[in-house]
Amino acid sequence: MHHDGLAGVIFDMDGTVSDTWAVSLSSFRTAIAELAPRPYTDKELMAFAGPAEEGILERLVPDHWEQCFELYIKTYASRITLREALFDGLNEVLDHLRSRRVLLAIVSGKSLRAVEITLERADITDRFEILKAGSPEGDVKSENIRLILDAWGFDPRRVAYVGDAIADMNAAHAAGVIAVGAAWSETANIDDLRGVGADVVFSQVDEFFLWLKACTQ
């Protein structure tokens, strides 16, 4: 893949920057425990992903979604620790990219409040120029990547989107940026990421770091 060095890197959040699936799901379950029509398994809850938490709650508990969302945010904030907020090794990656004047952004499917809480817990809020969160209406990642490209004014082939899910790779392709598969979380599947045509896939943060160093000489 030919590019003149990376000018910008956009990160997904859950499973990419942060190991937050378990704490998100447990907080979500607590938030709907009293009001949902029945219990949901992790797999069922993960299948709802696409819209941000507000949108999922609007579907599950239409009459009480606002109070459930407040409870979700409160529970999530009380449970998330630094260990979950930031994968080992990523602090150094972000430092390196900043030192090379590479611009950084977040494009997450999470609600903005959950994104902000996570970045604060990891103490990395100031690394990112732009934060784009999820929408209650559904998956808006490719549109959000395009908005960031417009703001930065970079050639899409000099920008990477790093994510752990098939939908992330599809969003990267739709926006024309380099699709980087992050397979260092337990929920990621390398074969799935390769299967949807990720440009590169890394199973370890260290491997990703080596690739970035080569792209930011």
Side-chain angles (χ1 to χ4, degrees), residues 73-81 121:
I73 289 293
K74 198 171 137 190
T75 310
Y76 182 81
S78 72
R79 288 180 189 171
I80 189 164
T81 67
R121 193 59 39 92

mmCIF file of all heavy atoms in Angstrom, residues 73-81 121:
data_model
loop_
_atom_site.group_PDB
_atom_site.id
_atom_site.type_symbol
_atom_site.label_atom_id
_atom_site.label_comp_id
_atom_site.label_asym_id
_atom_site.label_seq_id
_atom_site.Cartn_x
_atom_site.Cartn_y
_atom_site.Cartn_z
ATOM 1 N N ILE A 73 -24.890 5.249 32.717
ATOM 2 C CA ILE A 73 -23.713 6.125 32.759
ATOM 3 C C ILE A 73 -23.107 6.141 34.167
ATOM 4 O O ILE A 73 -21.888 6.032 34.347
ATOM 5 C CB ILE A 73 -24.090 7.561 32.303
ATOM 6 C CG1 ILE A 73 -24.365 7.579 30.797
ATOM 7 C CG2 ILE A 73 -23.008 8.560 32.682
ATOM 8 C CD1 ILE A 73 -23.152 7.315 29.905
ATOM 9 N N LYS A 74 -23.975 6.242 35.175
ATOM 10 C CA LYS A 74 -23.513 6.288 36.566
ATOM 11 C C LYS A 74 -22.807 4.983 36.940
ATOM 12 O O LYS A 74 -21.739 4.984 37.563
ATOM 13 C CB LYS A 74 -24.739 6.516 37.469
ATOM 14 C CG LYS A 74 -24.417 7.005 38.851
ATOM 15 C CD LYS A 74 -25.709 7.401 39.551
ATOM 16 C CE LYS A 74 -25.684 6.874 40.981
ATOM 17 N NZ LYS A 74 -26.969 7.000 41.635
ATOM 18 N N THR A 75 -23.394 3.869 36.525
ATOM 19 C CA THR A 75 -22.835 2.548 36.837
ATOM 20 C C THR A 75 -21.511 2.351 36.100
ATOM 21 O O THR A 75 -20.524 1.890 36.682
ATOM 22 C CB THR A 75 -23.829 1.430 36.428
ATOM 23 O OG1 THR A 75 -25.111 1.739 36.972
ATOM 24 C CG2 THR A 75 -23.388 0.081 36.953
ATOM 25 N N TYR A 76 -21.501 2.709 34.826
ATOM 26 C CA TYR A 76 -20.292 2.567 34.004
ATOM 27 C C TYR A 76 -19.148 3.377 34.616
ATOM 28 O O TYR A 76 -18.025 2.882 34.766
ATOM 29 C CB TYR A 76 -20.605 3.036 32.575
ATOM 30 C CG TYR A 76 -19.458 2.914 31.592
ATOM 31 C CD1 TYR A 76 -19.176 1.692 30.987
ATOM 32 C CD2 TYR A 76 -18.666 4.011 31.266
ATOM 33 C CE1 TYR A 76 -18.127 1.570 30.070
ATOM 34 C CE2 TYR A 76 -17.623 3.905 30.357
ATOM 35 C CZ TYR A 76 -17.355 2.683 29.765
ATOM 36 O OH TYR A 76 -16.324 2.567 28.874
ATOM 37 N N ALA A 77 -19.431 4.618 34.995
ATOM 38 C CA ALA A 77 -18.401 5.492 35.579
ATOM 39 C C ALA A 77 -17.858 4.916 36.888
ATOM 40 O O ALA A 77 -16.672 5.044 37.194
ATOM 41 C CB ALA A 77 -18.963 6.886 35.810
ATOM 42 N N SER A 78 -18.729 4.252 37.657
ATOM 43 C CA SER A 78 -18.284 3.711 38.946
ATOM 44 C C SER A 78 -17.494 2.413 38.786
ATOM 45 O O SER A 78 -16.703 2.051 39.646
ATOM 46 C CB SER A 78 -19.486 3.471 39.866
ATOM 47 O OG SER A 78 -20.240 2.361 39.408
ATOM 48 N N ARG A 79 -17.694 1.710 37.675
ATOM 49 C CA ARG A 79 -17.054 0.389 37.493
ATOM 50 C C ARG A 79 -15.783 0.411 36.648
ATOM 51 O O ARG A 79 -14.939 -0.473 36.787
ATOM 52 C CB ARG A 79 -18.047 -0.589 36.852
ATOM 53 C CG ARG A 79 -19.136 -1.023 37.802
ATOM 54 C CD ARG A 79 -20.107 -1.999 37.166
ATOM 55 N NE ARG A 79 -21.229 -2.209 38.060
ATOM 56 C CZ ARG A 79 -22.333 -2.876 37.738
ATOM 57 N NH1 ARG A 79 -22.453 -3.396 36.517
ATOM 58 N NH2 ARG A 79 -23.310 -3.016 38.603
ATOM 59 N N ILE A 80 -15.661 1.376 35.752
ATOM 60 C CA ILE A 80 -14.531 1.309 34.826
ATOM 61 C C ILE A 80 -13.228 1.724 35.530
ATOM 62 O O ILE A 80 -13.194 2.722 36.232
ATOM 63 C CB ILE A 80 -14.771 2.125 33.541
ATOM 64 C CG1 ILE A 80 -13.660 1.827 32.544
ATOM 65 C CG2 ILE A 80 -14.920 3.605 33.820
ATOM 66 C CD1 ILE A 80 -13.953 2.243 31.144
ATOM 67 N N THR A 81 -12.203 0.921 35.342
ATOM 68 C CA THR A 81 -10.898 1.216 35.929
ATOM 69 C C THR A 81 -9.903 1.519 34.805
ATOM 70 O O THR A 81 -10.203 1.281 33.628
ATOM 71 C CB THR A 81 -10.362 0.016 36.730
ATOM 72 O OG1 THR A 81 -10.080 -1.052 35.812
ATOM 73 C CG2 THR A 81 -11.380 -0.471 37.758
ATOM 74 N N ARG A 121 -10.770 8.440 32.393
ATOM 75 C CA ARG A 121 -10.221 7.408 33.274
ATOM 76 C C ARG A 121 -8.825 6.986 32.816
ATOM 77 O O ARG A 121 -7.953 6.693 33.614
ATOM 78 C CB ARG A 121 -11.185 6.191 33.301
ATOM 79 C CG ARG A 121 -10.943 5.162 34.379
ATOM 80 C CD ARG A 121 -11.015 5.713 35.788
ATOM 81 N NE ARG A 121 -12.064 6.693 36.006
ATOM 82 C CZ ARG A 121 -13.287 6.402 36.440
ATOM 83 N NH1 ARG A 121 -13.638 5.152 36.674
ATOM 84 N NH2 ARG A 121 -14.168 7.351 36.652
#
